[in-house]
Amino acid sequence: MHLHGKKSLKIEGVQDFEWCPLGDKDKEETKGDAGKAKKARENMLAYWTPEIDNQPARVTLLSFPSRTILRQKNLFNVTECKLYWQNQGDFLCVKVDRHTKTKKSIFCNLEIFRVREKDYPVEVVELKDTVTDFSWEPKGERFAIISSNDPNLGNPGPGITIKTDVSFYQLERAGGKNDFRLLRTLPARTSNAIRWSPRGRHVVLATVGSSSKSELEFWDLDFNVEELGRRELSKEEWGSGIQLLGTGDHYGVTDVEWDPSGRTLATSASAWTHTLENGYAIWDFRGQEIIKHIQDRFKQFIWRPRPPTLLTKEQQKQIRRNLKEYSRAFDEEDATEESNVSAELIALRKRLVDEWNKWRANCKKEHAEERSKKHGKHEEKEEIEVWVDEVIEQIEEMVVE
């Protein structure tokens, strides 16, 4: 490992930076045939610098290794910035905490860069409340935020629960608008953490690190997507697919992690944070608890990474196209296996009944033989009847002629 170009990248006053993730499209381009593969785009990073003297705060997109500035956005009255890349590198969200001129109140803006489009356009989503958490949907065009205007925010005390609102936004492409639009807001929550499934669609809202609350909410953002189809949704139908699947509670929860397949979720209470009921629990995506294990001095729960698939993109597409046929074949195998199990169960029951009937018949036969033997002995005995005359009273009478 060595310094690239034998020189460092000097940025005066830089506060934070984030590399752009390598998306599936970029990976396909880099792995393509030499004759057909397109030139892969350069690596990209985003960074921000604060307000210095009369210069405004600034967010910059920079390509590397050419070190070319692709886009800059000036920001004013900035308190703090946080950078969030979408995992495919399609969008960059800059959460900007801003203060009023009097610096007595804080509000938030979301500056969303569209990295795949020409000239890197920026959309601004203005919010009145403070945003405490932000999360992109993996491989999707939706994001969720947790916001709050609770006066206790920033100064939590023992037994104080911060009230929050959870909002979902989606990129609306219908009608050529191409803007991020509010799907739905869930008010009066205590959630402070957003955990998307690695495959998108499902999301868990958790209350983490609280001594009084430890709630889990399991949501499905495409609950009725098959009913609505791909048609343009009306104002009433927009956001109607968001459905609560289930709720749970894990006392003292400190960590929430999906498994790589997006089927199950692990919650844990680490002894690194507290020593009350340390252990872990595993849930399915609907919020049903599968297992819970309490263990003293439990520290950490980590899922094994899921290895990359050995199938090509074309094979995966073919499987998706023929999924119903595969499903039908699997259903037939399940039915056959179930019928085999049922046949074995019926045969077992029949065998047990036959054994019972045989045992009962043997018992009846033995009982009958015992009775017949007793009856035969009774017939061989010689019965003698004895008549005994007993004189009870004797009277003599004299007859005179």
Side-chain angles (χ1 to χ4, degrees), residues 82-86 91-95 133-136:
K82 187 68 177 176
L83 308 174
Y84 298 94
W85 281 101
Q86 190 240 18
F91 304 99
L92 167 69
C93 177
V94 182
K95 182 177 76 69
D133 195 16
F134 177 98
S135 183
W136 286 104

Side-chain angles (χ1 to χ4, degrees), residues 135-149:
S135 183
W136 286 104
E137 177 187 21
K139 300 182 180 180
E141 297 177 340
R142 292 181 289 206
F143 64 83
I145 62 172
I146 295 178
S147 59
S148 177
N149 58 3

Side-chain angles (χ1 to χ4, degrees), residues 142-183:
R142 292 181 289 206
F143 64 83
I145 62 172
I146 295 178
S147 59
S148 177
N149 58 3
D150 195 308
N152 295 316
L153 184 65
N155 299 300
I160 296 178
T161 302
I162 305 298
K163 290 295 182 181
T164 60
D165 296 336
V166 182
S167 302
F168 298 98
Y169 287 80
Q170 180 172 343
L171 184 63
E172 184 181 15
R173 296 190 179 276
K177 295 181 180 180
N178 211 28
D179 294 330
F180 282 94
R181 179 180 170 187
L182 178 64
L183 274 174

Side-chain angles (χ1 to χ4, degrees), residues 235-283:
K235 184 177 180 181
E236 293 76 14
E237 293 175 332
W238 185 259
S240 61
I242 300 177
Q243 180 72 30
L244 178 64
L245 299 180
T247 58
D249 190 280
H250 186 167
Y251 178 74
V253 60
T254 58
D255 300 282
V256 180
E257 293 294 337
W258 284 92
D259 85 300
S261 70
R263 296 189 184 99
T264 55
L265 178 89
T267 58
S268 58
S270 174
W272 284 333
T273 305
H274 60 79
T275 57
L276 300 175
E277 296 187 18
N278 300 128
Y280 67 90
I282 298 179
W283 315 71

Side-chain angles (χ1 to χ4, degrees), residues 106-385:
I106 300 292
F107 62 97
C108 184
N109 281 2
L110 303 178
E111 309 276 344
I112 302 176
F113 292 73
R114 303 183 185 187
V115 182
R116 300 284 182 183
E117 298 181 18
K118 185 179 179 181
D119 297 329
Y120 309 96
V122 181
E123 178 184 349
V124 180
V125 178
E126 297 182 354
L127 303 169
K128 296 180 180 180
D129 299 333
T130 302
V131 175
T132 60
D133 195 16
F134 177 98
S135 183
W136 286 104
E137 177 187 21
K139 300 182 180 180
E141 297 177 340
R142 292 181 289 206
F143 64 83
I145 62 172
I146 295 178
S147 59
S148 177
N149 58 3
D150 195 308
N152 295 316
L153 184 65
N155 299 300
I160 296 178
T161 302
I162 305 298
K163 290 295 182 181
T164 60
D165 296 336
V166 182
S167 302
F168 298 98
Y169 287 80
Q170 180 172 343
L171 184 63
E172 184 181 15
R173 296 190 179 276
K177 295 181 180 180
N178 211 28
D179 294 330
F180 282 94
R181 179 180 170 187
L182 178 64
L183 274 174
R184 183 178 171 185
T185 297
L186 309 174
R189 291 303 196 273
T190 60
S191 307
N192 57 13
I194 304 167
R195 297 292 185 269
W196 285 96
S197 165
R199 295 187 176 275
R201 176 172 176 174
H202 296 99
V203 64
V204 169
L205 307 177
T207 306
V208 177
S210 173
S211 59
S212 57
K213 294 286 185 179
S214 52
E215 298 174 350
L216 303 169
E217 296 183 2
F218 295 77
W219 291 85
D220 183 357
L221 270 64
D222 294 326
F223 185 75
N224 57 349
V225 65
E226 295 181 357
E227 298 178 4
L228 298 176
R230 298 185 178 274
R231 60 184 173 81
E232 184 176 350
L233 303 181
S234 64
K235 184 177 180 181
E236 293 76 14
E237 293 175 332
W238 185 259
S240 61
I242 300 177
Q243 180 72 30
L244 178 64
L245 299 180
T247 58
D249 190 280
H250 186 167
Y251 178 74
V253 60
T254 58
D255 300 282
V256 180
E257 293 294 337
W258 284 92
D259 85 300
S261 70
R263 296 189 184 99
T264 55
L265 178 89
T267 58
S268 58
S270 174
W272 284 333
T273 305
H274 60 79
T275 57
L276 300 175
E277 296 187 18
N278 300 128
Y280 67 90
I282 298 179
W283 315 71
D284 66 7
F285 69 94
R286 299 169 299 171
Q288 301 293 321
E289 187 178 81
I290 300 174
I291 188 174
K292 187 172 184 178
H293 183 66
I294 304 298
Q295 183 174 341
D296 292 338
R297 295 179 292 177
F298 174 86
K299 299 296 193 302
Q300 191 176 21
F301 185 103
I302 300 179
W303 290 103
R304 174 181 176 269
R306 193 177 182 88
T309 178
L310 300 177
L311 301 176
T312 63
K313 290 290 182 181
E314 187 60 33
Q315 289 174 328
Q316 294 180 43
K317 290 180 181 178
Q318 184 178 0
I319 290 174
R320 291 190 185 97
R321 285 195 298 265
N322 301 327
L323 191 59
K324 291 184 178 179
E325 296 181 7
Y326 292 122
S327 178
R328 191 180 301 110
F330 292 143
D331 290 340
E332 291 176 357
E333 290 181 5
D334 292 342
T336 303
E337 184 176 352
E338 185 177 355
S339 64
N340 291 338
V341 172
S342 300
E344 292 176 1
L345 184 60
I346 292 173
L348 175 62
R349 290 176 179 174
K350 187 176 183 302
R351 181 174 61 80
L352 294 176
V353 171
D354 292 341
E355 291 178 357
W356 160 255
N357 290 332
K358 185 177 180 181
W359 177 82
R360 187 168 179 270
N362 291 335
C363 290
K364 290 177 68 176
K365 183 178 180 181
E366 292 177 358
H367 183 63
E369 290 177 353
E370 290 180 0
R371 289 186 61 184
S372 63
K373 288 180 180 179
K374 290 180 180 179
H375 186 67
K377 291 180 180 179
H378 184 69
E379 288 182 348
E380 291 176 358
K381 291 180 181 180
E382 182 179 355
E383 294 184 1
I384 301 174
E385 293 183 1

